[in-house]
Amino acid sequence: MKNVKLLDHPLLQHKLTHLRMKETGSKEFRELVREVAMLMAYEVTRDLPLEDIEIETPVSKTTSKVVSGKKLAIVPILRAGLGMVDGVLELIPVAKVGHIGLYRDEETLQPVEYYCKLPQDITKRTVIITEPMLATGGSVVAAVDLLKKRGITDIKIMCLVCSRQGLEVVIKHHPDIEIFTTAIDEHLNEVGYITPGLGDAGDRIFGTK
């Protein structure tokens, strides 16, 4: 799966282990999600274009580099994707934030859209979709479908944990999209949860179970 970028930095893997632990409480879980998202954002933005500018240091004038080209937008899939936004914003505070609301029908496991609010200039931006768990792949496919219908073509997906099955579904529907993750788990259980996974990320972030 050439479009899948598995981020295996030791700090990411260490924090992921603590995210997986069932005894990790909501406060620590939220903090870990934010930290992991910030670390992941370094890799997600690795290909941002640069340009040279003239500056003056306390010692002399010099030529140095700054980011140029497209600006960024972060689009979390509600509600769990919200937990990753602050981490990305710490690294890129000028990014704009949109929201896509999807929930999974518990019987069909298919995504249902209930909300969408995006920045007006989003077609001019690189969009980073945040979704902690890519399980069946349905929600991510639906989110990318929605963005592409609005003329957005520069899209990246950032997930904490993916199932192999879900990745295959997303790649089948959107082979042009890069997916960044810290882990690829092999199985989905009978109710569509990633195994071993880390449980329901939304419930663990917001303390609703």
Side-chain angles (χ1 to χ4, degrees):
M1 292 185 284
K2 65 178 182 179
N3 285 3
V4 178
K5 311 297 183 183
L6 180 61
L7 308 181
D8 58 357
H9 190 285
L11 288 176
L12 284 171
Q13 295 303 308
H14 175 84
K15 292 177 185 296
L16 174 63
T17 295
H18 286 273
L19 283 170
R20 290 190 189 272
M21 293 177 179
K22 67 179 182 179
E23 61 265 29
T24 300
S26 289
K27 178 179 181 295
E28 185 182 0
F29 194 89
R30 282 194 298 270
E31 292 171 349
L32 285 166
V33 169
R34 177 182 55 78
E35 292 168 1
V36 169
M38 182 175 66
L39 292 171
M40 291 181 72
Y42 279 99
E43 292 300 322
V44 176
T45 57
R46 179 175 287 278
D47 62 352
L48 288 178
L50 296 171
E51 64 179 340
D52 292 330
I53 64 168
E54 296 291 329
I55 65 169
E56 188 169 354
T57 76
V59 179
S60 68
K61 292 182 179 180
T62 188
T63 300
S64 194
K65 296 185 181 297
V66 293
V67 173
S68 67
K70 283 189 175 181
K71 296 179 180 179
L72 297 173
I74 310 162
V75 178
I77 298 177
L78 303 179
R79 64 184 168 137
L82 285 172
M84 301 174 70
V85 172
D86 284 347
V88 183
L89 285 175
E90 285 191 39
L91 191 65
I92 315 161
V94 297
K96 291 187 177 181
V97 181
H99 299 86
I100 294 175
L102 299 168
Y103 69 88
R104 185 170 64 169
D105 186 293
E106 294 301 326
E107 292 184 3
T108 66
L109 303 183
Q110 295 303 306
V112 179
E113 178 189 340
Y114 66 89
Y115 184 77
C116 181
K117 182 70 172 179
L118 303 171
Q120 288 186 344
D121 64 347
I122 196 166
T123 57
K124 301 177 181 178
R125 294 175 177 265
T126 296
V127 175
I128 301 171
I129 296 174
T130 59
E131 171 71 305
M133 310 298 289
L134 196 163
T136 64
S139 293
V140 169
V141 168
V144 176
D145 285 343
L146 187 153
L147 293 176
K148 285 186 173 181
K149 287 177 182 177
R150 286 162 171 76
I152 301 153
T153 57
D154 191 356
I155 303 169
K156 300 175 185 289
I157 300 165
M158 193 166 82
C159 303
L160 301 182
V161 179
C162 298
S163 75
R164 190 168 297 278
Q165 175 183 327
L167 285 173
E168 290 172 352
V169 168
V170 175
I171 291 168
K172 178 181 177 181
H173 286 84
H174 298 290
D176 57 318
I177 301 298
E178 281 188 312
I179 305 167
F180 296 80
T181 186
T182 64
I184 301 173
D185 289 357
E186 292 297 327
H187 305 291
L188 294 177
N189 66 15
E190 64 278 1
V191 292
Y193 277 69
I194 300 173
T195 304
L198 47 79
D200 187 304
D203 284 336
R204 297 192 70 186
I205 289 168
F206 297 107
T208 46
K209 275 191 180 178

